[in-house]
Amino acid sequence: MTDGTITTANLGDHGPEVGVQGLGCMGMSFAYGPADADASRATLERALELGVTLYDTADAYGAGENERFLSPFFKAHRDEVVIATKFALSIPADEPTRRVIRNDPPYIRQAVEASLKRLDVEAIDLYYMHRRDVNVPIEESVGTMADLVREGKVKHLGLSEVTAGELRAAHAVHPIAAVQSEWSLFSRDIETHVVPAARELGVALVPYSPLGRGFLTGSFTRAEELSSDDFRRQQPRFTGDNATANAPLLELIRSVARAHDASPGQIALAWVHQQATLRDLPVIPIPGTRKPSRVEENTAATRIVLTDEQLDLLDGIAAQVAGNRYADMTFTSAGRE
């Protein structure tokens, strides 16, 4: 692979132009065990050099610490980056490990002010509803988000893990730029309803965990290999019999990788990128990493084109995956469709 800058695409009909691959920043301060702050800062800079302009965080990542960590980088490159953050996962003061989903207007206003302060910016480029509280009408929540656009606190709106019906209802209130959901060779449930709805409405798809939370790279084969504070230890696919059943599926990816002189992770990412052409909508995956070398590897995947035969070979993997992507799927679009 040669080093080079990635191309760009519009984040749907209503969003900004961004690099065709973004960067998930959660792991720089949350969820995946200890992180090296200097290496993470170097990763941010290298990503920008390679044309990555969409940087994804959330107020729940490290209880605001991820937004604070990213703030100096964003301030240094404010005109070059698109900042995406999220609200909805409230953290009770007396239960720091618990998350409560809130979509009510007072909470949305409280959350955006807190994120603006932590990020130290005047406006958030892309503001997502992180998870859906079905007890609050989505029209009410998006109506408040639309007010934030009119007030200049937010530029574009996004939703995460919503159903096709929820997306349509939200889009009728205010244009939605992007839907973020898990999408990878191991997780394809959004293809049935959400992807067609996004295409119909001119909404971009922003796949999170396009590398299957690292499993598709072969960096680990079961949760027990991970540090004790790694949240993947709680995910069904990576534990017990499920992990044992899923590990052999990686051999199909490795066989395609050998044909391209690429890594398994690059093939997994190339597959996600190719969905943009196959399904006729913008697809901007946000693989997360804390190492500059991994950013170089990941962005190089944008230049890999899989053959029809290779796509067919990879197509059947998801149907064989054992275990759900979360222990509780009610908070995902697939759990509510």
Side-chain angles (χ1 to χ4, degrees):
M1 299 294 170
T2 58
D3 188 18
T5 303
I6 61 174
T7 59
T8 62
N10 286 326
L11 204 61
D13 291 349
H14 307 282
E17 185 178 17
V18 296
V20 294
Q21 187 175 116
L23 181 64
C25 301
M26 177 179 76
M28 294 179 178
S29 35
F30 175 71
Y32 291 126
D36 182 318
D38 288 339
S40 293
R41 282 189 281 268
T43 299
L44 295 168
E45 296 287 352
R46 184 61 179 137
L48 188 59
E49 290 172 354
L50 292 168
V52 174
T53 56
L54 177 63
Y55 293 81
D56 185 88
T57 182
D59 60 2
Y61 298 162
E65 284 306 312
N66 198 236
E67 289 180 328
R68 292 189 189 95
F69 174 77
L70 295 168
S71 177
F73 171 74
F74 290 155
K75 287 188 70 175
H77 302 285
R78 188 64 191 96
D79 295 336
E80 303 170 82
V81 300
V82 173
I83 302 171
T85 194
K86 316 176 193 74
F87 74 89
L89 299 183
S90 174
I91 305 173
D94 57 344
E95 297 182 77
T97 61
R98 187 167 169 244
R99 302 290 184 270
V100 177
I101 298 178
R102 291 189 61 181
N103 292 173
D104 56 286
Y107 180 75
I108 295 172
R109 288 196 166 276
Q110 173 188 330
V112 75
E113 294 297 341
S115 285
L116 286 168
K117 183 176 180 180
R118 285 189 292 263
L119 292 165
D120 195 15
V121 295
E122 294 183 357
I124 294 164
D125 299 311
L126 177 59
Y127 200 43
Y128 286 104
M129 177 192 292
H130 203 162
R131 290 293 185 271
R132 170 93 169 94
D133 178 358
V134 297
N135 297 309
V136 179
I138 197 164
E139 294 86 353
E140 185 177 329
S141 303
V142 176
T144 300
M145 295 168 72
D147 288 341
L148 300 180
V149 176
R150 286 186 281 272
E151 294 164 16
K153 295 176 180 179
V154 169
K155 296 180 182 179
H156 304 283
L157 302 185
L159 304 170
S160 179
E161 289 288 359
V162 292
T163 67
E166 291 164 350
L167 173 58
R168 289 191 174 94
H171 195 77
V173 175
H174 188 279
I176 301 299
V179 167
Q180 186 174 136
S181 194
E182 188 166 356
W183 196 9
S184 73
L185 283 168
F186 263 35
S187 302
R188 299 180 58 180
D189 49 67
I190 65 168
E191 294 174 14
T192 304
H193 301 291
V194 178
V195 170
R199 180 175 59 245
E200 168 195 327
L201 299 171
V203 176
L205 251 296
V206 177
Y208 72 82
S209 298
L211 294 170
R213 303 191 186 279
F215 194 81
L216 295 174
T217 69
S219 60
F220 73 100
T221 57
R222 54 193 315 109
E224 291 79 5
E225 300 169 17
L226 305 170
S227 62
S228 60
D229 56 348
D230 193 308
F231 91 122
R232 289 172 291 185
R233 281 176 165 263
Q234 306 166 21
Q235 294 191 294
R237 290 183 173 174
F238 310 136
T239 59
D241 292 341
N242 289 339
T244 300
N246 291 333
L249 298 176
L250 299 180
E251 186 50 41
L252 288 173
I253 303 171
R254 292 189 187 101
S255 68
V256 176
R258 288 191 289 269
H260 285 273
D261 192 22
S263 69
Q266 287 178 316
I267 297 304
L269 279 174
W271 181 89
V272 174
H273 280 290
Q274 213 152 329
Q275 300 310 303
T277 300
L278 296 173
R279 300 180 187 276
D280 191 28
L281 82 167
V283 177
I284 315 293
I286 49 169
T289 186
R290 301 175 291 195
K291 298 179 180 179
S293 61
R294 291 299 186 196
V295 167
E296 294 167 1
E297 179 181 332
N298 291 346
T299 54
T302 66
R303 297 185 287 278
I304 296 174
V305 178
L306 303 174
T307 67
D308 290 343
E309 292 76 16
Q310 290 167 344
L311 290 168
D312 288 343
L313 182 66
L314 298 170
D315 191 56
I317 291 177
Q320 302 177 63
V321 174
N324 285 326
R325 46 194 181 97
Y326 291 101
D328 184 352
M329 289 289 286
T330 61
F331 303 118
T332 70
S333 60
R336 297 195 305 277
E337 286 284 9

